[in-house]
Amino acid sequence: IHLHPPELHGSSLLKDQDWATDEHRLECYRMAVGLVNRLNLKVKRAAYLKHSVSVFLKTDPKLHGLNFANMQWMIQHELEESIIIPVFDGLDERTGTRIGAQGQSLTTLLALGMGESLSVQPPQNMCEPLFTSSKHSALIQLADLISYLLHTLDYEYCKLSVTEFKMKLQEIA
């Protein structure tokens, strides 16, 4: 039993583990996909090609705000049947404050009886964002692995060249 397992990140999976080979990494991705499929989990990912949204890069270099707005749009149909808690990993305080304010604004307007005029419907099912570190959350690490696999498919879609390892990840995705 390993009480302090390594933190798993898709872009640098087990890079700091001397024992880990590419085959270990690929098996880790396969296991992550297997778990998501077995439990019928939904992992949503929002992303943009930076050149297509360059106007936003000065104020939000990683496009967190734009991605959060897009994510709200993507899950709109699920809000009718589910309560959604957006979870963010690794945000700096400035970005977290800005995105958190979006969630608080939604809650405030709902409390003022203006829920019907909001673009997020039903607004009571969209919780305020939760900010945490993936270091202590296996679920966030799982979402990160799956998101990275989906990111590799973007390379395929955009017809960008990839390494042999990323080709194998595309097969797993």
Side-chain angles (χ1 to χ4, degrees):
I1 297 175
H2 195 298
L3 295 178
H4 303 287
E7 184 175 358
L8 305 178
H9 283 287
S11 63
S12 59
L13 184 60
L14 302 173
K15 292 290 185 187
D16 58 348
Q17 303 298 311
D18 294 338
W19 55 266
T21 65
D22 281 352
E23 192 49 46
H24 289 113
R25 292 177 184 91
L26 292 170
E27 185 58 24
C28 191
Y29 282 111
R30 286 185 199 102
M31 291 173 71
V33 168
L35 181 62
V36 167
N37 289 338
R38 188 170 52 256
L39 298 176
N40 196 27
L41 300 175
K42 295 178 183 178
V43 177
K44 304 286 185 179
R45 178 178 174 272
Y48 293 89
L49 294 173
K50 286 189 176 185
H51 70 271
S52 68
V53 289
S54 59
V55 67
F56 298 103
L57 293 174
K58 288 183 183 176
T59 58
D60 188 6
K62 293 189 177 182
L63 302 173
H64 291 301
L66 188 61
N67 283 323
F68 181 53
N70 189 34
M71 188 65 68
Q72 287 178 311
W73 178 81
M74 286 171 43
I75 62 172
Q76 187 70 47
H77 65 283
E78 295 176 25
L79 279 172
E80 294 176 14
E81 300 174 8
S82 303
I83 291 175
I84 306 291
I85 303 172
V87 179
F88 288 86
D89 171 37
L91 293 184
D92 60 82
E93 187 174 345
R94 182 175 156 250
T95 305
T97 299
R98 191 167 19 87
I99 291 174
Q102 290 177 12
Q104 289 174 341
S105 296
L106 187 71
T107 303
T108 301
L109 293 170
L110 181 61
L112 292 171
M114 300 173 69
E116 290 181 18
S117 65
L118 298 171
S119 60
V120 175
Q121 291 296 325
Q124 64 272 17
N125 288 357
M126 182 62 155
C127 299
E128 292 180 1
L130 173 67
F131 303 100
T132 188
S133 169
S134 63
K135 183 176 184 178
H136 306 293
S137 174
L139 185 59
I140 292 176
Q141 292 176 44
L142 177 65
D144 188 79
L145 292 177
I146 299 301
S147 292
Y148 188 73
L149 287 172
L150 295 172
H151 174 70
T152 65
L153 295 178
D154 291 343
Y155 279 78
E156 185 176 44
Y157 176 78
C158 294
K159 298 182 183 356
L160 301 172
S161 62
V162 295
T163 64
E164 184 178 329
F165 184 76
K166 274 195 179 162
M167 282 187 219
K168 291 178 182 177
L169 292 179
Q170 290 170 340
E171 293 171 12
I172 293 170

